[in-house]
Amino acid sequence: MNIYNKEHPLRVVTLCSGYDSQCLALKYLQDQHPDFAFDLVAWSEIDRNAIVAHSLLFPEYRDRNLGDMALIDWSKVPDFDLLTYSTPCQSVSNAGLRKGIEEGSGTRSSLLWYTRNAIKSKHPKYLLMENVKGLVSEKFRPFFLMWLSELESYGYSSFYRVLNAKDYGVPQNRERIFVVSILRTEDEPEPQYSFPSPIPLEKAVEDVLEDDAPERFYLASSEIDKFCNIIDVDEYIDQIPKT
């Protein structure tokens, strides 16, 4: 990362940005390594609450939201080095209805395939994907491998692994699939990447909970009882009325 500094910052675009935890991570990296610098060239988000949160955290980038990622004209977007894409997970998540991710299906998760528009137009050096573990389950793994094959055809070498937040200092059992893709070049025809090693967990949930949170943030007792009685998540999902 030492090649990215204030004179030559890492140029970043984030899709389905949310409040942009990716940029929070980059800011943390910048705090740890003052010589490192990044610039959020553009971001893409349509959820009103997420846009408000993003603008509060990164007011300097408030006017760089491109809106709906499916409608972006990438020829009008400045070049960038890193593209992150945390496209919707609801249609492949165990906590959702698992409607699928097939291209053209119209599900929320099928938005993934629009990512190719940015990649084919701009060919950024690095791609970072994050999604739920269900994406590499037996049901959805063929689509996951199809996506990796497409990235391969664009000249990218991809490295993926399921990581758990509790192995990296966060007191939460949260597994996610991460994919790092690096563009092959004449100088680097065979890119290499290693995922970070786990670190000891030194915090518990009680260490990060607020002592005095408003009541509106608490679940009702009836809701808590319902969740505590759930034994099989998939069975619970099957009981949800399909609308």
Side-chain angles (χ1 to χ4, degrees):
M1 285 294 184
N2 58 356
I3 65 171
Y4 298 111
N5 49 46
K6 292 180 180 179
E7 289 71 37
H8 182 216
L10 178 71
R11 300 166 299 174
V12 182
V13 168
T14 62
L15 299 180
C16 299
S17 306
Y19 62 82
D20 229 328
S21 57
Q22 297 91 336
C23 282
L24 287 178
L26 289 170
K27 289 192 74 169
Y28 175 80
L29 183 62
Q30 194 169 251
D31 291 340
Q32 298 299 309
H33 303 277
D35 292 335
F36 168 73
F38 77 96
D39 179 40
L40 183 61
V41 171
W43 52 290
S44 169
E45 183 56 64
I46 61 173
D47 182 84
R48 180 182 178 278
N49 292 328
I51 291 172
V52 170
H54 194 290
S55 298
L56 288 172
L57 287 170
F58 305 103
E60 66 272 35
Y61 303 130
R62 184 190 301 267
D63 61 348
R64 299 186 183 181
N65 182 12
L66 302 179
D68 189 339
M69 65 172 281
L71 304 177
I72 296 172
D73 181 353
W74 289 100
S75 67
K76 297 180 180 179
V77 179
D79 291 340
F80 49 91
D81 308 295
L82 168 64
L83 176 71
T84 75
Y85 55 110
S86 298
T87 49
C89 65
Q90 292 90 336
S91 307
V92 296
S93 171
N94 284 333
L97 298 179
R98 295 169 66 87
K99 292 184 177 180
I101 194 173
E102 185 175 2
E103 184 174 6
S105 63
T107 66
R108 297 181 69 177
S109 294
S110 66
L111 194 63
L112 164 70
W113 303 97
Y114 284 97
T115 309
R116 72 159 64 94
N117 296 340
I119 298 170
K120 291 175 67 176
S121 176
K122 294 300 186 178
H123 288 92
K125 174 66 176 178
Y126 308 103
L127 310 175
L128 174 61
M129 176 192 198
E130 175 269 338
N131 215 297
V132 292
K133 182 182 177 182
L135 189 57
V136 290
S137 66
E138 181 178 358
K139 180 175 182 178
F140 298 117
R141 187 176 179 84
F143 298 103
F144 174 70
L145 295 178
M146 187 185 304
W147 174 244
L148 294 189
S149 178
E150 183 165 338
L151 294 181
E152 172 75 18
S153 73
Y154 299 149
Y156 289 89
S157 295
S158 296
F159 309 85
Y160 64 92
R161 182 176 296 179
V162 173
L163 303 177
N164 197 320
K166 69 182 179 64
D167 294 327
Y168 296 93
V170 180
Q172 182 183 22
N173 185 27
R174 182 183 179 89
E175 291 183 304
R176 292 294 183 270
I177 178 71
F178 288 85
V179 182
V180 175
S181 304
I182 304 174
L183 185 64
R184 297 187 294 275
T185 64
E186 290 185 2
D187 294 334
E188 194 176 13
E190 295 293 337
Q192 299 296 317
Y193 178 79
S194 298
F195 285 92
S197 301
I199 61 176
L201 182 61
E202 298 178 348
K203 289 184 177 181
V205 172
E206 63 180 358
D207 295 322
V208 296
L209 291 179
E210 295 182 10
D211 295 327
D212 188 22
E215 281 193 25
R216 68 178 184 274
F217 293 120
Y218 285 84
L219 283 174
S221 297
S222 58
E223 291 296 314
I224 294 175
D225 291 341
K226 180 170 67 177
F227 284 119
C228 288
N229 289 329
I230 296 173
I231 299 176
D232 188 323
V233 174
D234 289 329
E235 181 180 344
Y236 170 70
I237 292 172
D238 288 340
Q239 295 173 1
I240 300 175
K242 307 299 189 293
T243 58

